[in-house]
Amino acid sequence: MRRLFFKYIVVLIAFLPFTTFAKGKKISKIVVDAGHGGKDFGAHGTFSNEKDVTLACALKLGKILKDSIKNLDVIYTRTVDEYPSLVKRHDIANEAQADLFIAIHANSTMDRVTRQVVGYKTIKKKKKSVKQPIYKIVRHHETSMMGVETYVIGLKRLGQQAGEVTDEFSHDSTVSEGVLNENDPQTAIIISQYTSAFFQRSVRLGTKIQEQFAAQKRPDLGVKQKSLEVLAGSAMPGVLVEVGFINNPEEEAYLNSEKGQTEIAMAIYRGILAYKNEVEK
Ligand SMILES: [Zn+2]
């Protein structure tokens, strides 16, 4: 899988001089990436799948962007229920030489496992009768967690073990198998250049988007980092917005509603607009 990363690295270097030093650069192309799709359902709630929620929100966001910003190109990684690989998604963005990469996902928590006593049995222990409970393992898919969080392209924190990052794309073997060696001097230089080029911008964009969700009274879970490998394929600032918890019944209903999807698209749009106005100054 190293070759994959060489490809990424070459792309990164190719774009660095244009992105790092271009001040007042116009944002004219935005990639909108609906997470998952096709065979990849993503997370699920009680009645819906992440791949459908992300597509609905992405299409709404794209339409609002196109209708509201003159001469803006919106590039979708998918517009139907299909699965472009992560590499394919980034290829689309890089080939278009887009200025921003916006990935839309829905959040989910791990199932909670509890034991329930469903009866008792009597067993003989050292000639004595002992009553023992019989347990049933119960999985709880629902959560009370709610709110929005935005991930930016980030470095793995020092000392972090592989796999510690909860990785949306871990099922994508083309990505999860690759390991960036940050101890290699050349890789370290590339990472630091990459970081200075896009990381700050991504954080600014993510912050603006989160502010808009907060203004809508959605719980603000903040701007966070995802490992470099996950989002580094695109040579442009990028964010991954987790628009709500699909395994929270209240949020699942919201994520599937016309009102919810429109509000989500509007929050991301307003965040992009605020960022755009700032960088184009
Ligand atoms: Zn996802």
Side-chain angles (χ1 to χ4, degrees):
M1 283 301 123
R2 278 204 74 82
R3 216 193 291 154
L4 191 68
F5 285 101
F6 274 120
K7 192 177 166 196
Y8 283 168
I9 286 162
V10 168
V11 169
L12 291 178
I13 291 171
F15 279 84
L16 275 174
F18 302 103
T19 49
T20 316
F21 308 111
K23 278 219 170 80
K25 188 186 185 302
K26 288 262 177 276
I27 289 167
S28 57
K29 286 179 193 169
I30 298 178
V31 173
V32 177
D33 175 39
H36 310 276
K39 63 177 184 183
D40 175 12
F41 285 65
H44 68 92
T46 50
F47 67 89
S48 66
N49 293 307
E50 181 182 355
K51 65 172 186 172
D52 300 313
V53 168
T54 61
L55 182 60
C57 293
L59 293 176
K60 283 195 168 66
L61 171 62
K63 180 160 171 33
I64 295 168
L65 282 168
K66 269 205 90 59
D67 290 351
S68 313
I69 302 174
K70 246 193 205 167
N71 302 324
L72 180 80
D73 266 356
V74 173
I75 299 122
Y76 298 99
T77 54
R78 68 181 181 101
T79 54
V80 293
D81 185 18
E82 64 184 11
Y83 177 72
S85 70
L86 188 57
V87 173
K88 172 79 182 155
R89 291 170 204 253
H90 292 302
D91 281 350
I92 291 170
N94 289 325
E95 274 160 28
Q97 299 193 19
D99 304 302
L100 294 178
F101 187 89
I102 314 286
I104 298 177
H105 284 255
N107 233 331
S108 171
T109 54
M110 298 268 284
D111 285 1
R112 202 164 43 84
V113 176
T114 57
R115 302 195 298 182
Q116 265 177 15
V117 177
V118 291
Y120 292 91
K121 62 186 172 192
T122 308
I123 57 159
K124 292 258 184 227
K125 234 182 193 174
K126 290 177 186 167
K127 292 181 183 166
K128 273 186 183 170
S129 288
V130 182
K131 209 171 152 193
Q132 273 195 344
I134 302 166
Y135 294 107
K136 191 177 99 182
I137 300 295
V138 186
R139 298 188 81 86
H140 306 269
H141 186 58
E142 290 183 9
T143 183
S144 56
M145 278 285 288
M146 55 200 310
V148 183
E149 59 190 2
T150 298
Y151 284 89
V152 300
I153 298 161
L155 285 172
K156 263 194 221 141
R157 271 162 289 138
L158 279 175
Q160 193 167 48
Q161 296 300 308
E164 197 180 299
V165 174
T166 48
D167 180 357
E168 279 277 341
F169 301 104
S170 55
H171 52 263
D172 192 329
S173 59
T174 54
V175 172
S176 57
E177 280 171 23
V179 176
L180 269 182
N181 179 9
E182 289 164 41
N183 298 321
D184 174 55
Q186 231 181 331
T187 309
I189 290 167
I190 289 159
I191 289 172
S192 82
Q193 283 181 327
Y194 181 86
T195 307
S196 59
F198 304 122
F199 183 73
Q200 299 298 333
R201 288 163 184 240
S202 301
V203 170
R204 268 158 75 188
L205 173 61
T207 306
K208 302 272 183 220
I209 290 172
Q210 284 296 127
E211 281 169 7
Q212 293 300 325
F213 279 109
Q216 291 178 349
K217 305 280 186 276
R218 299 285 307 283
D220 176 6
L221 304 179
V223 178
K224 296 170 181 176
Q225 282 190 22
K226 236 177 194 165
S227 84
L228 183 68
E229 288 161 30
V230 177
L231 285 172
S234 295
M236 64 207 67
V239 292
L240 187 157
V241 189
E242 298 274 10
V243 297
F245 287 82
I246 200 168
N247 64 334
N248 174 316
E250 200 185 314
E251 289 215 323
E252 185 183 18
Y254 182 77
L255 293 173
N256 282 278
S257 70
E258 193 66 27
K259 177 178 179 279
Q261 290 169 359
T262 303
E263 284 180 4
I264 286 163
M266 281 306 293
I268 299 173
Y269 159 70
R270 289 195 183 115
I272 293 170
L273 196 62
Y275 171 84
K276 185 177 182 294
N277 289 337
E278 203 175 273
V279 296
E280 288 182 353
K281 245 186 241 163

